[in-house]
Amino acid sequence: MSEVVRLTLVSHGMTDAMAAGRFPIDEELNALGRRQLDGLDIGTVDTVLCGPETRARQSAELLGLSAQADARLADLDCGRWRGLGLDMAEPDQLTRWLTEPDSCPHGGESIAEVIARVRGWLAEIGRTPGHTVAFTHPAVIRSAILITLDAPPKSFWRIDIAPASRTDLHFRGMVWTLRSAVAGQ
């Protein structure tokens, strides 16, 4: 029997762009985001990874961990919409982006592309024994959940990932499974 691979995905804490409803930029955690990570228990860790953005790295550091940056854990590239409020995106283009996973009206990365990127990363992590913790972004975590559940990309926006939350996955044999967090663990 092969060893179970454990993966904990931690969503970075709150940023000013998140609080204001703007498309993400590379920024630090705000005061609330730093407080949100207080007391987050991720258990014993063998490997610590993070997205290349400041907010992902800071989230790991606040838990006393030094993480290795991995570009495949980067946030969804929102192209020319970076830093803009949702109300500043062209309404028809925003609607298309939210309803058509292959569309990319902002010139960055489509939902389908981020899911493909995460799929490749999960395939590699599935061969990494032990417990890996990855500090990343809601888009990456949504993608990992869709892949695990074999759900269609159009379900991407139906998954709500809270700041400073954790999502646990296990790889057993040939498939990933999603593990619901249990209170007190």
Side-chain angles (χ1 to χ4, degrees):
M1 184 169 172
S2 61
E3 180 177 349
V4 174
V5 173
R6 295 175 51 218
L7 173 61
T8 299
L9 298 164
V10 178
S11 180
H12 63 77
M14 183 67 71
T15 67
D16 288 342
M18 290 172 74
R22 295 191 314 259
F23 289 97
I25 58 173
D26 189 11
E27 65 180 335
E28 295 186 358
L29 299 174
N30 62 20
L32 173 60
R34 290 188 293 277
R35 285 192 310 272
Q36 288 172 324
L37 289 153
D38 284 345
L40 182 65
D41 181 18
I42 55 172
T44 305
V45 180
D46 298 303
T47 304
V48 182
L49 303 172
C50 69
E53 295 86 359
T54 302
R55 59 196 181 274
R57 187 185 70 255
Q58 282 183 327
S59 294
E61 290 170 353
L62 284 169
L63 295 179
L65 300 169
S66 177
Q68 178 183 352
D70 187 324
R72 295 169 296 179
L73 295 172
D75 203 354
L76 175 68
D77 180 357
C78 292
R80 69 177 183 277
W81 292 351
R82 273 186 221 108
L84 298 179
L86 289 173
D87 59 337
M88 297 183 76
E90 302 85 350
D92 61 324
Q93 291 183 4
L94 181 61
T95 298
R96 192 173 85 226
W97 184 62
L98 293 172
T99 59
E100 300 173 19
D102 290 319
S103 72
C104 189
H106 49 61
E109 185 176 33
S110 72
I111 300 305
E113 289 170 329
V114 76
I115 291 170
R117 171 168 45 94
V118 173
R119 185 180 309 280
W121 178 76
L122 280 175
E124 181 179 314
I125 293 299
R127 297 185 301 271
T128 306
H131 183 199
T132 298
V133 174
F135 292 85
T136 188
H137 311 277
V140 171
I141 298 169
R142 282 186 195 106
S143 297
I145 291 170
L146 290 176
I147 293 161
T148 298
L149 299 178
D150 198 22
K154 68 180 183 178
S155 300
F156 184 86
W157 296 111
R158 294 181 183 176
I159 302 169
D160 187 20
I161 304 296
S165 64
R166 60 179 272 185
T167 300
D168 292 313
L169 303 176
H170 293 155
F171 188 77
R172 292 181 174 94
M174 301 295 290
V175 296
W176 284 100
T177 58
L178 178 64
R179 181 170 193 197
S180 174
V182 179
Q185 291 188 2

